[in-house]
Amino acid sequence: MAILTILEVPDPRLRRISEPVAEVTDEIRALIADMFETMYDAPGIGLAAAQVDVPIRLLVMDLGDGPEDAEGNPGRNPRVFINPEILDPSEDYSVYNEGCLSVPGQYADVERPAVVRARWLDENGVAHDEVLDSLTATCLQHEMDHLDGILFIDHLSRLKRDMVLKKLEKARREKAGKKAA
Ligand code: ZN
């Protein structure tokens, strides 16, 4: 397993449209293992293959909502979505303060359909068709946007988006300054 480099804005590779996965092979499963390792290390709750420079329709998610371990820590709940599709997005929306590993350290409220029916394949090539809600629905929609070259900041007004990008630039300058000092 390996920790992969996560692309960050304004890398143009984040804007590519990802291709469908033709077959769930061992090579794909090896990439999935690396993506989980990269996501847990970051740490984040979702990661699309496009963010690690592999433009295929694959994403991983772990909301930490699995059964608690012996010490009462939230359990891992790794989920894999290959070639995901959204059907029947609800008319009600929910708002979540989203962040993104490709826009590090920045958060903003994004409104998305609260409930979605989704279809996808898992890491064994098994098809799923489920109704998802709350953070699972939000996270899936955020990650699926990456497959179409869309970032959460694209859902914001131009003013808010510029503010987020300016804050990110400032944080990067401060980090670079600290390294030089
Ligand atoms: Zn993201």
Side-chain angles (χ1 to χ4, degrees):
M1 297 224 289
I3 292 174
L4 308 169
T5 302
I6 299 174
L7 303 178
E8 295 182 4
V9 283
D11 195 310
R13 289 173 289 180
L14 288 167
R15 297 303 188 176
R16 289 179 296 190
I17 308 289
S18 294
E19 293 291 332
V21 175
E23 198 190 340
V24 186
T25 58
D26 286 344
E27 195 188 348
I28 296 282
R29 280 185 280 269
L31 171 64
I32 290 168
D34 286 346
M35 284 172 62
F36 273 117
E37 194 179 3
T38 303
M39 185 186 79
Y40 290 131
D41 176 70
I45 59 169
L47 185 68
Q51 291 176 276
V52 291
D53 199 19
V54 185
I56 60 171
R57 303 188 84 81
L58 156 66
L59 62 95
V60 300
M61 184 192 300
D62 190 337
L63 305 180
D65 54 354
E68 287 182 359
D69 68 14
E71 281 102 53
N73 299 312
R76 281 188 174 179
N77 184 17
R79 303 183 75 170
V80 176
F81 297 80
I82 297 169
N83 298 340
E85 282 178 274
I86 284 182
L87 313 139
D88 308 334
S90 65
E91 277 167 29
D92 1 314
Y93 282 72
S94 64
V95 176
Y96 189 80
N97 194 244
E98 295 188 19
C100 179
L101 296 176
S102 296
V103 191
Q106 307 306 315
Y107 298 86
D109 283 349
V110 179
E111 201 179 50
R112 301 184 187 269
V115 183
V116 296
R117 188 176 142 215
R119 267 193 207 147
W120 70 95
L121 301 178
D122 65 21
E123 64 276 28
N124 299 311
V126 175
H128 294 255
D129 185 331
E130 286 177 32
V131 174
L132 305 173
D133 63 7
S134 60
L135 186 54
T136 314
T138 294
C139 188
L140 180 67
Q141 292 173 80
H142 173 118
E143 298 309 328
M144 281 181 67
D145 272 354
H146 281 297
L147 309 183
D148 292 318
I150 299 167
L151 301 170
F152 82 97
I153 52 174
D154 300 336
H155 293 281
L156 308 177
S157 67
R158 191 184 182 131
L159 184 73
K160 276 197 186 152
R161 180 164 60 243
D162 288 350
M163 263 168 52
V164 166
L165 292 173
K166 263 188 203 145
K167 271 165 54 191
L168 176 61
E169 267 318 300
K170 188 167 172 251
R172 279 174 172 157
R173 275 198 310 271
E174 282 169 2
K175 204 171 154 195
K178 267 185 207 140
K179 265 184 201 154

